[in-house]
Amino acid sequence: MHFSINIPNFGDFADARTVAKVATAAEAAGWDALFVWDHVVHDKRMRRGQPFGDPWMLLTAAALATSRLRLGTLVTPVARRRPEQLARQVATLDALSGGRVVFGAGLGGPIEDEFASFGDTTDSVVLAERLDEGLELLSRYWSGETVDHDGPHYRVRQTALLPATVQRPRPPVWIAGYWPNRRPMRRAAKWDGAVPLFKSAPHGEAPSPDEVRDVAGYIAQQRGERATEPFEIVVGGVTETSTAAAQLRSLQEAGATWWDERQVQANDDYFRAEAVLRRVQAGPPSIS
């Protein structure tokens, strides 16, 4: 099992220097990755008056401060981005970091705040279509090939975006979605990993092994002959020291390959650097 730290891109973490400090501490303490949220306003009522940072700028600072830590977003709403711009940002970060990028993608939300605030559609069907079409375009852009595309939402005329990503054929793509909704997990099965969120386990709370086992089984079924190929299943929450080893072993046995350490949202600690740094410096949990 691999271990990551999860932080928002607002509050204290709107400052790229703070994110670099967290990344440096995470690498020194033995964590495997740092993941940053990708929001522009999140919940406007709850976030009123708070600063936000661009996730790719934050991750650039983290890349410059580290040499081993994997870096990425959990998650980027592809439907809110222009695929060609996003492809450039990810490829640039992949080059800068020496091939350490993980690309997390999803539908995004809250939809009213993040989309309607800027005059964009709130039709989840349209957003899902843009997500799927955008992902396919990103994969082609990252390859360095010349792209000619005429789809329902995007059109490209004989364009190659160079350089291609350092990672070949592209950075790993992990897809998020709420379980037990099947469609996001069917989407994830086409790519390299799944980041299932659970209606029964809010952010910061670990899911049950039974639910993880259900997700893993469903994705394996969807992958068919590819079910034996490597595939990541990312779950997370706050580890409790006294029960962490047993909890993580049971989740690993159920199919989880990554534990993403996430602060609960019941208080402000999840966007405060001091609280997060204390957890980071304590190091990843042990499953032995």
Side-chain angles (χ1 to χ4, degrees):
M1 182 174 275
H2 301 286
F3 300 95
S4 58
I5 289 291
N6 182 297
I7 57 174
N9 63 315
F10 51 78
D12 289 352
F13 305 113
D15 186 335
R17 289 162 295 195
T18 300
V19 174
K21 184 176 180 180
V22 172
T24 301
E27 185 163 271
W31 295 88
D32 298 302
L34 173 71
F35 295 118
V36 176
W37 299 8
D38 185 345
H39 288 287
V40 287
V41 293
H42 192 244
D43 182 310
K44 289 194 295 186
R45 181 185 59 83
M46 293 177 63
R47 303 277 82 81
R48 186 176 292 117
Q50 283 192 321
F52 278 68
D54 178 83
W56 301 104
M57 296 297 290
L58 302 178
L59 289 168
T60 295
L64 290 169
T66 57
S67 61
R68 178 190 59 80
L69 205 65
R70 294 195 68 83
L71 304 163
T73 52
L74 284 185
V75 295
T76 289
V78 174
R80 184 163 52 69
R81 304 275 190 159
R82 294 297 306 177
E84 62 273 17
Q85 276 187 308
L86 187 55
R88 285 283 197 208
Q89 290 169 311
V90 174
T92 301
L93 182 63
D94 202 46
L96 176 66
S97 65
R100 291 187 279 139
V101 171
V102 174
F103 184 68
L107 201 60
I111 290 177
E112 284 295 327
D113 291 286
E114 295 266 299
F115 289 88
S117 295
F118 305 98
D120 207 343
T121 183
T122 58
D123 186 329
S124 60
V125 173
V126 172
L127 295 177
E129 289 174 353
R130 278 161 46 178
L131 169 58
D132 287 327
E133 190 177 348
L135 284 168
E136 293 295 339
L137 275 174
L138 287 169
S139 183
R140 295 176 68 186
Y141 284 143
W142 290 332
S143 74
E145 71 177 63
T146 297
V147 177
D148 195 60
H149 175 83
D150 191 357
H153 301 287
Y154 306 109
R155 290 169 181 78
V156 187
R157 295 290 174 263
Q158 292 294 307
T159 302
L161 299 184
L162 297 173
T165 54
V166 171
Q167 296 179 85
R168 309 301 296 152
R170 52 170 170 71
V173 175
W174 298 352
I175 304 298
Y178 274 95
W179 182 259
N181 295 342
R182 265 45 179 181
R183 182 172 178 174
M185 295 303 105
R186 288 198 298 273
R187 179 180 294 118
K190 299 175 183 178
W191 297 95
D192 310 299
V195 189
L197 306 173
F198 298 86
K199 294 179 179 179
S200 61
H203 191 278
E205 294 185 17
S208 72
D210 286 342
E211 286 188 296
V212 174
R213 191 172 292 107
D214 288 344
V215 172
Y218 181 77
I219 291 173
Q221 182 184 48
Q222 294 299 307
R223 286 174 63 80
E225 293 180 357
R226 296 178 59 219
T228 57
E229 297 176 10
F231 188 86
E232 308 293 354
I233 295 182
V234 186
V235 299
V238 175
T239 47
E240 299 292 342
T241 304
S242 60
T243 59
Q247 178 190 46
L248 294 173
R249 279 197 302 270
S250 64
L251 291 170
Q252 185 180 41
E253 290 166 1
T257 62
W258 279 80
W259 173 261
D260 188 46
E261 189 76 17
R262 307 166 185 167
Q263 297 282 333
V264 295
Q265 296 184 50
N267 55 49
D268 293 346
D269 281 354
Y270 74 102
F271 59 80
R272 299 297 187 204
E274 183 180 355
V276 172
L277 272 170
R278 283 198 302 269
R279 179 64 193 90
V280 169
Q281 290 165 346
S286 171
I287 60 173
S288 59

